[in-house]
Amino acid sequence: MNEAEALAIVEQILDEHKEIHANFQSLGQVSSDIEAAATLHSDKTKDYFVPKSLDDQGRGLARWKEILESIAAGLKSHFHKEETALTEAFLREGTPELQSALTQLLAEHHDISTHVAKLLKDADDIGAGGARIEVWEGTGWGMKTNIQRLQEKIAAHAESERVLLGKMKAHLTKK
């Protein structure tokens, strides 16, 4: 990988992060995970977690899980690109300080992925049935709070990466 290829990868990741920050409405490749988290956190989600009747539980939960699965898929794709091509660019063209900072940010991927997996497990547990409505509602509201935390983690992570990628871009253009 040469400097031009490394710069192209950095630019591509930066463009993806601009989408995340600029347009939560897009269901594009990168921002779908953020948009879905924003949708889940909105007031429109009340019926996903607190059904008007037991009959509503299945439809709302299925829709909620579908959105959460889109978060997982978007993150997996984005993280893979950062953990492969971006890492190679940093190793070949970056300074030791830039490489170290990237390593620290990549470690956050596991925490974010674990958070998503926990939410999917909670959705499966609720969907398995057998819980009283009070238990279902309590777990559902807990899931909504955890979606807010996930959205905050993703936003903070993306901002940290944006700053680091800006530094890498500046380093590459000075060479």
Side-chain angles (χ1 to χ4, degrees), residues 35-103:
E35 188 271 339
T39 299
L40 285 173
H41 178 59
S42 75
D43 288 337
K44 296 175 187 175
T45 63
K46 181 178 179 190
D47 291 337
Y48 292 161
F49 305 106
V50 183
K52 293 175 184 154
S53 70
L54 286 173
D55 293 338
D56 290 346
Q57 179 176 339
R59 286 190 309 271
L61 185 62
R63 175 68 182 129
W64 189 90
K65 189 171 178 190
E66 179 183 306
I67 293 170
L68 187 57
E69 287 169 343
S70 78
I71 292 171
L75 287 173
K76 183 177 180 180
S77 173
H78 186 73
F79 288 171
H80 178 74
K81 189 181 302 179
E82 291 177 346
E83 292 166 359
T84 56
L86 186 64
T87 297
E88 181 182 343
F90 270 65
L91 290 174
R92 291 187 184 266
E93 302 295 335
T95 66
E97 293 80 19
L98 290 171
Q99 294 166 6
S100 176
L102 180 65
T103 299

Side-chain angles (χ1 to χ4, degrees), residues 87-159:
T87 297
E88 181 182 343
F90 270 65
L91 290 174
R92 291 187 184 266
E93 302 295 335
T95 66
E97 293 80 19
L98 290 171
Q99 294 166 6
S100 176
L102 180 65
T103 299
Q104 290 174 1
L105 283 173
L106 293 179
E108 293 177 8
H109 290 179
H110 176 73
D111 181 48
I112 292 169
S113 296
T114 300
H115 195 136
V116 172
K118 167 79 168 94
L119 287 166
L120 283 167
K121 183 186 179 314
D122 289 348
D124 286 340
D125 290 348
I126 290 173
R132 295 186 330 268
I133 188 69
E134 296 85 5
V135 174
W136 191 92
E137 287 176 347
T139 303
W141 280 110
M143 290 167 68
K144 183 176 179 184
T145 299
N146 281 324
I147 279 293
Q148 180 181 4
R149 288 184 189 136
L150 176 63
Q151 183 181 1
E152 291 166 358
K153 278 184 187 181
I154 292 169
H157 179 77
E159 177 60 18

